[in-house]
Amino acid sequence: MPSASPHRSGAGTPGPRAQDVRRPAANPMRIDLRELGRRAGAMQELDRTVPAPHDWRVEMIGVPPEAQAHLRLRLESVMEGVLVSGRAEVPVAGTCARCLEPFEDTLELDIQELYAYAGSTTEATSEEDEVRRIDGDFLDLEPLLRDTVVLNLPLAPVCSEDCAGLCVDCGQRLDDLPADHSHEVVDARWAGLAQKFSTTPASSPGTPGEIPTTEEN
Ligand SMILES: [Zn+2]
Ligand SMILES: [Zn+2]
């Protein structure tokens, strides 16, 4: 799916079938704006579940395969373009940076973005990468959602805020171990002493020794 250049995607061959080609069914994140219209103040609610691309990810966490993102957005026609606002819920799966266990979560994202009309002042006065643009009658939500998801993915994700990580001695996950988990490591240098004090004294001064006398005659 080459979505790097947002322009030019709708430019198919003109002809009697052009209307069919433009149907947005192929890409549910590409929004047809003809229903909303251009009258400033017009509004449209969008409640839609869309497949979330697998490449919305950073190193240790991202959208799992076959995931669905839930979008609840409002499209508002303004002078310069269309204001998109609302929320997106995106399932993510990652590996805990502390205990290395896989875990799943849902990102809840606030969305607010202006898409500018071609020829609008906003479009004319901003750089190519500063403002999102409306492509003919369509608005592509995918780059906006991708940027928002990726910006909100943690570089060091944790399975839970208080994940205790791994035991430095045995490498097991501390949350799976009993609270009193510990390793009694006796330093080799003390091992000899410990033995000396815990076993029966080898010599006890003070008691007159019974010197075995051997009388042999
Ligand atoms: Zn963890
Ligand atoms: Zn341990």
Side-chain angles (χ1 to χ4, degrees), residues 10 12-23 34 138:
T13 48
R17 291 197 165 275
Q19 289 302 313
D20 296 341
V21 173
R22 301 180 78 168
R23 286 197 184 279
R34 284 173 294 187
F138 292 91

mmCIF file of all heavy atoms in Angstrom, residues 10 12-23 34 138:
data_model
loop_
_atom_site.group_PDB
_atom_site.id
_atom_site.type_symbol
_atom_site.label_atom_id
_atom_site.label_comp_id
_atom_site.label_asym_id
_atom_site.label_seq_id
_atom_site.Cartn_x
_atom_site.Cartn_y
_atom_site.Cartn_z
ATOM 1 N N GLY A 10 -6.487 9.478 -6.438
ATOM 2 C CA GLY A 10 -7.799 9.384 -7.066
ATOM 3 C C GLY A 10 -7.764 9.628 -8.562
ATOM 4 O O GLY A 10 -8.791 9.528 -9.227
ATOM 5 N N GLY A 12 -7.688 8.551 -11.593
ATOM 6 C CA GLY A 12 -7.798 7.384 -12.451
ATOM 7 C C GLY A 12 -8.166 7.826 -13.852
ATOM 8 O O GLY A 12 -8.117 9.004 -14.181
ATOM 9 N N THR A 13 -8.497 6.867 -14.666
ATOM 10 C CA THR A 13 -8.905 7.228 -16.020
ATOM 11 C C THR A 13 -10.333 7.741 -15.982
ATOM 12 O O THR A 13 -11.215 7.074 -15.438
ATOM 13 C CB THR A 13 -8.830 5.987 -16.940
ATOM 14 O OG1 THR A 13 -9.477 4.906 -16.263
ATOM 15 C CG2 THR A 13 -7.392 5.591 -17.213
ATOM 16 N N PRO A 14 -10.561 8.923 -16.521
ATOM 17 C CA PRO A 14 -11.919 9.462 -16.536
ATOM 18 C C PRO A 14 -12.769 8.666 -17.524
ATOM 19 O O PRO A 14 -12.264 8.143 -18.506
ATOM 20 C CB PRO A 14 -11.727 10.908 -17.003
ATOM 21 C CG PRO A 14 -10.428 10.924 -17.737
ATOM 22 C CD PRO A 14 -9.604 9.788 -17.205
ATOM 23 N N GLY A 15 -14.008 8.540 -17.240
ATOM 24 C CA GLY A 15 -14.870 7.768 -18.128
ATOM 25 C C GLY A 15 -16.160 7.443 -17.413
ATOM 26 O O GLY A 15 -16.388 7.919 -16.293
ATOM 27 N N PRO A 16 -16.988 6.653 -18.003
ATOM 28 C CA PRO A 16 -18.300 6.359 -17.421
ATOM 29 C C PRO A 16 -18.187 5.639 -16.081
ATOM 30 O O PRO A 16 -19.087 5.695 -15.259
ATOM 31 C CB PRO A 16 -18.968 5.473 -18.480
ATOM 32 C CG PRO A 16 -17.860 4.983 -19.361
ATOM 33 C CD PRO A 16 -16.796 6.029 -19.306
ATOM 34 N N ARG A 17 -17.058 4.954 -15.845
ATOM 35 C CA ARG A 17 -16.937 4.171 -14.614
ATOM 36 C C ARG A 17 -16.199 4.937 -13.518
ATOM 37 O O ARG A 17 -15.907 4.386 -12.465
ATOM 38 C CB ARG A 17 -16.200 2.864 -14.909
ATOM 39 C CG ARG A 17 -17.016 1.918 -15.760
ATOM 40 C CD ARG A 17 -16.459 0.509 -15.702
ATOM 41 N NE ARG A 17 -17.415 -0.461 -16.209
ATOM 42 C CZ ARG A 17 -18.367 -0.987 -15.461
ATOM 43 N NH1 ARG A 17 -18.486 -0.647 -14.207
ATOM 44 N NH2 ARG A 17 -19.207 -1.871 -15.963
ATOM 45 N N ALA A 18 -15.876 6.171 -13.785
ATOM 46 C CA ALA A 18 -15.094 6.959 -12.830
ATOM 47 C C ALA A 18 -15.743 6.986 -11.444
ATOM 48 O O ALA A 18 -15.055 6.914 -10.431
ATOM 49 C CB ALA A 18 -14.913 8.388 -13.343
ATOM 50 N N GLN A 19 -17.041 7.053 -11.393
ATOM 51 C CA GLN A 19 -17.732 7.112 -10.106
ATOM 52 C C GLN A 19 -17.486 5.849 -9.287
ATOM 53 O O GLN A 19 -17.305 5.914 -8.082
ATOM 54 C CB GLN A 19 -19.235 7.314 -10.311
ATOM 55 C CG GLN A 19 -19.603 8.715 -10.809
ATOM 56 C CD GLN A 19 -19.119 9.805 -9.870
ATOM 57 O OE1 GLN A 19 -19.308 9.719 -8.664
ATOM 58 N NE2 GLN A 19 -18.468 10.820 -10.408
ATOM 59 N N ASP A 20 -17.469 4.706 -9.952
ATOM 60 C CA ASP A 20 -17.244 3.438 -9.242
ATOM 61 C C ASP A 20 -15.841 3.410 -8.651
ATOM 62 O O ASP A 20 -15.630 2.998 -7.524
ATOM 63 C CB ASP A 20 -17.408 2.256 -10.216
ATOM 64 C CG ASP A 20 -18.829 2.193 -10.740
ATOM 65 O OD1 ASP A 20 -19.710 2.789 -10.091
ATOM 66 O OD2 ASP A 20 -19.048 1.569 -11.790
ATOM 67 N N VAL A 21 -14.896 3.872 -9.432
ATOM 68 C CA VAL A 21 -13.506 3.861 -9.013
ATOM 69 C C VAL A 21 -13.333 4.694 -7.738
ATOM 70 O O VAL A 21 -12.527 4.374 -6.873
ATOM 71 C CB VAL A 21 -12.609 4.412 -10.147
ATOM 72 C CG1 VAL A 21 -11.169 4.560 -9.666
ATOM 73 C CG2 VAL A 21 -12.670 3.490 -11.348
ATOM 74 N N ARG A 22 -14.127 5.734 -7.627
ATOM 75 C CA ARG A 22 -13.935 6.661 -6.512
ATOM 76 C C ARG A 22 -14.638 6.211 -5.246
ATOM 77 O O ARG A 22 -14.521 6.857 -4.224
ATOM 78 C CB ARG A 22 -14.446 8.049 -6.901
ATOM 79 C CG ARG A 22 -13.715 8.576 -8.111
ATOM 80 C CD ARG A 22 -14.230 9.929 -8.487
ATOM 81 N NE ARG A 22 -13.683 10.944 -7.604
ATOM 82 C CZ ARG A 22 -13.790 12.251 -7.855
ATOM 83 N NH1 ARG A 22 -14.417 12.672 -8.910
ATOM 84 N NH2 ARG A 22 -13.276 13.120 -7.028
ATOM 85 N N ARG A 23 -15.362 5.144 -5.315
ATOM 86 C CA ARG A 23 -16.035 4.687 -4.094
ATOM 87 C C ARG A 23 -14.994 4.389 -3.016
ATOM 88 O O ARG A 23 -13.992 3.742 -3.293
ATOM 89 C CB ARG A 23 -16.873 3.436 -4.376
ATOM 90 C CG ARG A 23 -18.128 3.774 -5.132
ATOM 91 C CD ARG A 23 -19.146 2.661 -5.067
ATOM 92 N NE ARG A 23 -20.287 2.997 -5.898
ATOM 93 C CZ ARG A 23 -21.255 3.813 -5.491
ATOM 94 N NH1 ARG A 23 -21.214 4.333 -4.280
ATOM 95 N NH2 ARG A 23 -22.262 4.097 -6.284
ATOM 96 N N ARG A 34 -18.185 14.499 0.026
ATOM 97 C CA ARG A 34 -19.282 15.090 -0.749
ATOM 98 C C ARG A 34 -20.550 15.210 0.075
ATOM 99 O O ARG A 34 -21.348 16.103 -0.121
ATOM 100 C CB ARG A 34 -19.519 14.287 -2.023
ATOM 101 C CG ARG A 34 -18.446 14.577 -3.069
ATOM 102 C CD ARG A 34 -18.545 13.684 -4.256
ATOM 103 N NE ARG A 34 -18.249 12.297 -3.874
ATOM 104 C CZ ARG A 34 -18.140 11.314 -4.762
ATOM 105 N NH1 ARG A 34 -18.330 11.539 -6.035
ATOM 106 N NH2 ARG A 34 -17.850 10.087 -4.360
ATOM 107 N N PHE A 138 -11.870 13.920 -1.182
ATOM 108 C CA PHE A 138 -11.518 12.932 -0.170
ATOM 109 C C PHE A 138 -10.510 13.449 0.855
ATOM 110 O O PHE A 138 -9.696 14.315 0.573
ATOM 111 C CB PHE A 138 -10.955 11.668 -0.825
ATOM 112 C CG PHE A 138 -11.980 10.921 -1.610
ATOM 113 C CD1 PHE A 138 -12.167 11.191 -2.957
ATOM 114 C CD2 PHE A 138 -12.785 9.979 -1.000
ATOM 115 C CE1 PHE A 138 -13.130 10.515 -3.686
ATOM 116 C CE2 PHE A 138 -13.743 9.302 -1.719
ATOM 117 C CZ PHE A 138 -13.925 9.568 -3.075
#
